[in-house]
Amino acid sequence: MVIDATDQVVGRLASKVAKIIRGKYKPTFTPNQDCGDNVIIINAQKVIFTGKKETDKVYTRYTGYPGGQRFNTPAELRKKPFGVERIIKHAVKGMAIDINQYK
């Protein structure tokens, strides 16, 4: 499935993509099986954040070394190669977690 991300909010886009990947729109949805589809997102660089999240939100990653904690804002990530892809992947991964597997 191809989704156009032009002028869409990151969180709302991520929740739609996560539902498609898990297969929740299909009548044969089963939580313990992969019955979802593949998703291609076009115009990902045109995705938007609401409010001041573009400059105030902070993504944290760890390099694995002592003192290796790194911080980035979405504005900084947009300037890096594949930065927008990282933003969307992070959001979709957060939306796709199944609460039932932790019970």
Side-chain angles (χ1 to χ4, degrees):
M1 178 175 243
V2 179
I3 295 178
D4 185 16
T6 304
D7 297 330
Q8 288 200 28
V9 179
V10 174
R12 293 172 190 259
L13 174 70
S15 65
K16 290 177 190 174
V17 171
K19 283 183 183 179
I20 293 169
I21 289 173
R22 288 203 61 215
K24 293 198 94 172
Y25 287 117
K26 292 186 175 185
T28 58
F29 171 70
T30 309
N32 63 340
Q33 293 180 350
D34 180 19
C35 54
D37 297 327
N38 294 325
V39 177
I40 298 171
I41 299 174
I42 58 173
N43 296 324
Q45 68 275 9
K46 296 180 183 176
V47 79
I48 60 171
F49 284 90
T50 57
K52 298 192 311 183
K53 291 185 193 99
E54 186 78 31
T55 56
D56 292 353
K57 186 176 179 74
V58 176
Y59 292 110
T60 306
R61 65 184 176 89
Y62 181 62
T63 63
Y65 290 96
Q69 199 170 21
R70 303 290 185 252
F71 305 99
N72 289 89
T73 63
E76 293 169 353
L77 282 175
R78 282 187 192 271
K79 297 174 187 172
K80 295 185 178 186
F82 304 106
V84 178
E85 181 179 333
R86 287 183 190 166
I87 291 170
I88 294 176
K89 277 186 178 181
H90 185 270
V92 171
K93 185 178 178 182
M95 298 286 178
I97 292 177
D98 185 17
I99 294 172
N100 293 328
Q101 64 182 321
Y102 296 111
K103 288 185 179 179

